[in-house]
Amino acid sequence: MTQNMKRDMDLIRELMLKLEGLSVPLTGIKAIDGREPVVQVDGYTTEQIDYHLLLLEQAGFIYGGGLENFGMRFGPGIGFQSLTWAGHDFIDAMRSPDVWDRTRRAASAAGGFTVDLLVSAAKGYLEARIKGFIGG
């Protein structure tokens, strides 16, 4: 696996939407890698998908325990059981294509971002919309 890949937030969002829809028994863990049709995203290689699955695990957006033994990873992919609370918050903030597009454009105009800033910006936009609906 290449270690110098750039993080692609569009791919992160797409993978989160796909993982949210997976059905895994509460006590089960599903091994997933970029070859799985359920996580393939047009325009991205298996290697890119594998790398971004690892990033999702590192970010604490998914729970599953990984495919590791004694701190060593055996092969590409992750173990997946569910999204974490933070993972649900991320995807709930970024689910709407409109919110995602506005958030992504704002981050681009600012010249950079972190995941926390993206989520914060999306939440701010959603909060303003909700206040508009309830008259606050």
Side-chain angles (χ1 to χ4, degrees):
M1 178 169 298
T2 303
Q3 292 299 315
N4 62 354
M5 285 191 191
K6 291 186 177 182
R7 181 176 62 182
D8 183 319
M9 292 308 298
D10 289 318
L11 180 53
I12 292 285
R13 178 179 175 269
E14 289 298 320
L15 288 172
M16 288 294 290
L17 287 167
K18 289 175 178 284
L19 291 171
E20 180 187 42
L22 279 182
S23 179
V24 179
L26 188 56
T27 58
I29 295 176
K30 179 170 178 53
I32 299 173
D33 66 39
R35 296 173 297 187
E36 294 279 333
V38 71
V39 293
Q40 290 179 352
V41 179
D42 289 341
Y44 293 95
T45 67
T46 299
E47 187 176 57
Q48 288 171 309
I49 292 169
D50 284 337
Y51 180 71
H52 284 76
L53 288 170
L54 289 173
L55 290 178
L56 291 173
E57 184 178 50
Q58 291 169 356
F61 286 172
I62 59 174
Y63 177 74
L67 298 177
E68 298 178 357
N69 192 9
F70 302 108
M72 297 176 60
R73 187 168 291 278
F74 295 100
I78 59 167
F80 176 77
Q81 184 175 22
S82 66
L83 299 184
T84 63
W85 189 275
H88 281 287
D89 278 353
F90 174 85
I91 203 59
D92 285 344
M94 303 298 180
R95 182 181 315 282
S96 162
D98 177 53
V99 172
W100 177 244
D101 186 53
R102 287 174 183 261
T103 302
R104 194 177 48 182
R105 281 189 285 138
S108 179
F113 61 89
T114 66
V115 172
D116 291 339
L117 285 173
L118 279 178
V119 172
S120 180
K123 286 180 179 179
Y125 176 70
L126 289 170
E127 183 179 345
R129 287 185 65 189
I130 289 169
K131 284 181 179 178
F133 290 129
I134 61 174

